[in-house]
Amino acid sequence: MPSQSRRSRAVRWGVPVAAIAVVGAAVGTGPVIAAVQGDPTLPDRTAEQLLAEVAKTARQSQPPAMSGTVVETASLGLPSLPIPGGSSSSPMSLLSGSHTLKVWYGGDDRLRLALPGPMSETDLISTGKGEAWVWQSDANTATRYKLPEGKAGAHATPSVLPTAKTPSDVAAEVLKAADGNTSIRVENGQHIAGRAAYQLVLTPKASTSLVKEVRLALDGENYIPLRVQIYAKGTAEPAFEVGFTQVTFSTPAPENFAFTPPAGAKVEEKTLGAGDGSSGDQGAETPQAADAARSKLRTFGSGWGTIAEVPFSLADLAKPATGERGGKWGGEGDPAKVADSLLKSAKQVSGPWGSGKVLQTKLVSALFTDDGRLLVGAVTPEALAEAAGQK
Amino acid sequence: MSTLSSATPAGDVKDSTAPPGATNPAGGAGATDPDGGTGAGFHGPSTGSGTGTRPALAAGEQLGSAAGERLVSATGVPVRPSAPRAAVRLLASELGLTFRKPRNIAMLIVLACVPVLLGVVLRVVGGDNDAPSLITQVAGNGLMLTFAAMTLLVELLLPLAVAVVAGDAIAGEAGGGTLRYLLTAPAGRTRLLAVKFANVSVFALVACSVVAAAALITGFALFPVGPVTLLSGSTISIADGLLRILIVTGYAAAGMAALGAVGLAVSTLTEVPIGAVAATVVGVVFSHVLSVIPQLEPVRPYLLTSWWSSFDGALRDPVATDVMTQGLLVFAAYTVICGSLAWARFSSRDITS
């Protein structure tokens, strides 16, 4: 009798164990099943063939209309920052943790990005009619950016690729340029967001580089980049990853690309300057200022080991940010505070070149010298110190 | 007769003062107690418990005797009602007890007061410009009060109310001494547990609906009501807004029901109802704490609490069905796991009091 009861008890407890196993299996194997289900057969391609295909597609057609969910994960090894945590909808929060972005692209410069947060959302809507809206539900503010005339269709062809050559020439040229400092290989059989994809793996040859490799996954059909992963040396998980978890190549509903500021919202109007058209805030800076900054910039090394040097004094950072900016980000995401806490975690170093503070993250090191220079590069702090010596 | 015999027979009922109908585990309570199958017959013996955990004795007895008359067939042999009907009756009796208990009524009243209070304060003080947008929007649109109230309550007060009912479900009966009388009915432990969970789920739905209704009434009474601005910046009609409130309420209730399953599992472990309630609430608080530690970010998707507020997916354009579906799957997973744990524990446990 007791053994029987013990057995029946064991059977009963087997049910929850089985339930946990089933749920665990569903959680664990979901991605695996998705990976297996995808179309497994893509013809093998060498790096040159793949780049040629990419160049050909990029030149012949616009990117296809699509919508999907993008997950961005940053584990940059930044010191803990006073930025809004986890799932906030503030753009500053993208610097750490994992975030989900929704993307809709309808062709003809019609684009919508949504960054959802808890009971909040930040939206960027490009209507394709020379204007873009930024909607922040937190602040109940809609900002309208007018794009300068004639620039609307400018990004259709990637300007980095010389247009006079055949795609295979472009591929050969890119490979030749990369040959000195990067080894490139292609992996087949990747599955991202249920799509078969090629993966280009770029491995820096420079020993000082903090980057182990960069993996770029391209859709097997239309060569849209589906995922970028940047691995730091000595880590198994990517330090930075942005990729689709779900993607559909069909035209999204037109409502996504229309925006009317809701009643009661604050509406601001801004015109993007002639400067960098893609970044909103920098638009206000004059081109002269940008030129001046460029002339002060010095670089050392090449390829992955490039180090940039700009005149910069720590005293600048200690100054409070201008009122307008401080107000814009609110208390938590204030760039001045972020910079302040970054500096607090910096290490004091010195050498034949002088002394300063060094800040190292997984992918980037920065050296603030006491004589007013800032050296930045995706290299080890030792390489920065060496460069600081080459006056 | 699996109700009591799954454990060692001698261990089932130790109290020699128990009524005869309950002391014979193998004898078939259904035979000796004609209305046992209704689940209401236990109220008779429990009169002497004096703990007040089952206050609806008179009603229960009436129900029991009425059912008993119907259940005795012409030959005088008791007939068991069909299983679903018996379960429904047991559930109805449970619901009656739950919603008549002064403590539960008080909790529902407190829940209803929060949106009213929030609305009155916003009306009197007015939203200042530094407040979160959701709060300022309430001043412009009464419908937003529902979402504001739900955001506020879904984190702690609603879980607290559900934890009280769920934690009390089994442990309260065990602690009050009424559990073994419940188990003398041939309903079986599995069905009793299922009914208890259904009872908790209904309470969760009612609690969420009470919050939504109180907020809606306050919103309509104190503020102008008009088209609703979604988080994505687009505007929808009032009817569509009401539909979204319905979705939000249903989603929140599903999340609370999942917590109810957790509370029920804890409740089967103890005979001290306050212990089960406290453990469940502490679990909720602990889970909230875990979810704000940045280093534990990878754990966050697996926590029950981090999905409760995902009802905001209904306030986006288009509705974030993917996030909400995932949330519902998490709720289902918690319900299945905790439900099976509760079942394994409850059906193999010795009922000693």
Side-chain angles (χ1 to χ4, degrees):
Chain A
M1 276 296 276
S3 74
Q4 200 181 348
S5 123
R6 211 174 298 137
R7 200 177 309 137
S8 91
R9 209 170 276 206
V11 170
R12 282 174 190 281
W13 282 102
V15 173
V17 170
I20 292 170
V22 167
V23 170
V27 170
T29 56
V32 175
I33 292 169
V36 173
Q37 273 174 345
D39 184 14
T41 48
L42 281 179
D44 278 329
R45 294 249 195 281
T46 65
E48 191 168 348
Q49 286 167 335
L50 184 61
L51 286 174
E53 291 277 1
V54 172
K56 199 170 125 195
T57 325
R59 190 178 299 169
Q60 280 173 354
S61 56
Q62 278 199 357
M66 61 198 280
S67 60
T69 308
V70 173
V71 171
E72 182 253 21
T73 309
S75 146
L76 300 172
L78 291 177
S80 63
L81 298 176
I83 52 177
S87 47
S88 161
S89 71
S90 160
M92 282 295 275
S93 66
L94 289 175
L95 278 177
S96 70
S98 183
H99 299 272
T100 302
L101 270 162
K102 300 263 184 171
V103 181
W104 295 264
Y105 177 70
D108 300 328
D109 278 346
R110 292 185 306 153
L111 174 76
R112 176 177 165 204
L113 293 175
L115 178 58
M119 279 313 257
S120 64
E121 190 169 303
T122 300
D123 279 90
L124 169 76
I125 296 149
S126 169
T127 57
K129 293 170 198 145
E131 57 169 18
W133 288 93
V134 173
W135 159 253
Q136 285 174 300
S137 80
D138 262 354
N140 200 15
T141 312
T143 314
R144 183 175 175 225
Y145 291 97
K146 269 193 192 145
L147 304 175
E149 286 296 317
K151 273 201 107 181
H155 346 280
T157 44
S159 53
V160 279
L161 300 174
T163 45
K165 292 177 183 166
T166 65
S168 48
D169 285 345
V170 174
E173 201 156 286
V174 168
L175 282 179
K176 210 173 105 195
D179 195 41
N181 48 39
T182 316
S183 56
I184 300 181
R185 65 173 201 277
V186 176
E187 285 176 0
N188 199 346
Q190 291 289 320
H191 290 276
I192 289 125
R195 312 256 320 166
Y198 292 108
Q199 185 156 275
L200 269 176
V201 183
L202 316 174
T203 313
K205 286 180 179 167
S207 62
T208 55
S209 172
L210 287 175
V211 179
K212 185 167 79 180
E213 58 190 32
V214 175
R215 297 183 185 175
L216 171 68
L218 300 165
D219 189 273
E221 227 174 88
N222 48 29
Y223 304 103
I224 295 291
L226 290 180
R227 188 178 67 191
V228 179
Q229 291 175 311
I230 304 176
Y231 285 78
K233 280 206 171 122
T235 53
E237 296 290 312
F240 179 82
E241 172 173 356
V242 55
F244 283 98
T245 53
Q246 183 264 319
V247 66
T248 325
F249 288 100
S250 61
T251 311
E255 300 93 90
N256 284 310
F257 308 113
F259 185 81
T260 317
K266 291 191 283 284
V267 180
E268 290 169 12
E269 295 262 352
K270 281 184 185 168
T271 307
L272 289 184
D276 187 3
S278 61
S279 61
D281 283 329
Q282 270 67 40
E285 288 174 18
T286 59
Q288 286 85 355
D291 281 344
R294 217 169 287 140
S295 67
K296 286 182 197 155
L297 178 79
R298 286 209 297 161
T299 57
F300 306 94
S302 65
W304 297 92
T306 306
I307 297 167
E309 185 202 82
V310 285
F312 184 84
S313 127
L314 282 178
D316 288 348
L317 264 187
K319 276 188 228 155
T322 61
E324 191 193 342
R325 286 213 129 189
K328 181 177 162 70
W329 293 105
E332 273 196 314
D334 191 341
K337 282 189 190 159
V338 173
D340 206 35
S341 76
L342 268 178
L343 278 184
K344 265 187 208 139
S345 59
K347 255 192 330 218
Q348 188 74 36
V349 286
S350 62
W353 47 270
S355 65
K357 282 184 165 180
V358 74
L359 196 72
Q360 189 182 1
T361 66
K362 279 187 194 165
L363 291 177
V364 177
S365 300
L367 174 63
F368 302 88
T369 65
D370 290 346
D371 54 4
R373 292 177 294 154
L374 165 64
L375 290 97
V376 185
V379 292
T380 55
E382 291 73 31
L384 283 184
E386 202 180 299
Q390 309 171 6
K391 283 202 174 172
Chain B
M1 274 324 293
S2 65
T3 50
L4 293 169
S5 55
S6 61
T8 51
D12 274 325
V13 180
K14 283 177 183 159
D15 185 359
S16 59
T17 60
T23 44
N24 186 357
T32 53
D33 183 1
D35 44 51
T38 66
F42 55 83
H43 294 302
S46 72
T47 324
S49 70
T51 57
T53 50
R54 292 202 160 262
L57 290 173
E61 264 168 343
Q62 274 170 9
L63 202 134
S65 57
E69 276 165 40
R70 262 184 281 127
L71 288 171
V72 179
S73 69
T75 54
V77 179
V79 180
R80 284 187 59 181
S82 67
R85 273 182 61 197
V88 167
R89 257 187 240 173
L90 186 56
L91 178 60
S93 143
E94 280 293 328
L95 286 174
L97 291 172
T98 304
F99 287 102
R100 250 175 270 150
K101 205 173 262 188
R103 182 184 62 191
N104 296 350
I105 297 172
M107 285 194 306
L108 289 178
I109 291 174
V110 169
L111 282 176
C113 281
V114 173
V116 176
L117 204 66
L118 189 66
V120 170
V121 167
L122 282 175
R123 176 78 187 156
V124 173
V125 181
D128 68 299
N129 287 330
D130 292 338
S133 158
L134 191 67
I135 302 291
T136 43
Q137 278 186 25
V138 172
N141 193 339
L143 286 185
M144 296 306 285
L145 184 63
T146 316
F147 303 120
M150 205 59 103
T151 314
L152 210 65
L153 290 174
V154 85
E155 298 297 340
L156 200 61
L157 215 50
L158 271 174
L160 182 71
V162 172
V164 167
V165 174
D168 192 50
I170 303 294
E173 304 275 6
T178 44
L179 182 56
R180 57 181 169 174
Y181 304 125
L182 264 176
L183 292 178
T184 55
R189 297 188 183 194
T190 306
R191 192 192 297 167
L192 178 64
L193 199 64
V195 165
K196 287 284 186 188
F197 176 65
N199 178 43
V200 172
S201 304
V202 171
F203 181 80
L205 182 61
V206 169
C208 293
S209 309
V210 161
V211 171
L216 265 182
I217 293 167
T218 315
F220 270 98
L222 296 182
F223 300 102
V225 171
V228 180
T229 301
L230 295 176
L231 295 176
S232 306
S234 42
T235 306
I236 55 169
S237 67
I238 296 178
D240 207 354
L242 289 173
L243 179 71
R244 304 232 179 179
I245 286 177
L246 217 58
I247 297 175
V248 164
T249 309
Y251 181 89
M256 292 303 120
L259 177 72
V262 177
L264 207 57
V266 179
S267 185
T268 57
L269 300 176
T270 173
E271 294 184 356
V272 187
I274 192 71
V277 174
T280 313
V281 174
V282 166
V284 170
V285 173
F286 188 66
S287 175
H288 277 309
V289 170
L290 286 187
S291 63
V292 294
I293 299 175
Q295 283 78 9
L296 294 178
E297 173 130 357
V299 181
R300 207 175 291 163
Y302 301 101
L303 296 176
L304 183 59
T305 50
S306 43
W307 292 97
W308 284 340
S309 52
S310 296
F311 65 77
D312 59 5
L315 298 181
R316 302 187 198 284
D317 182 31
V319 175
T321 41
D322 50 346
V323 177
M324 293 180 79
T325 311
Q326 211 174 345
L328 290 176
L329 284 176
V330 170
F331 298 156
Y334 266 88
T335 306
V336 167
I337 290 179
C338 289
S340 62
L341 280 172
W343 176 79
R345 163 72 184 159
F346 187 56
S347 59
S348 62
R349 162 184 173 185
D350 295 344
I351 308 298
T352 54
S353 63

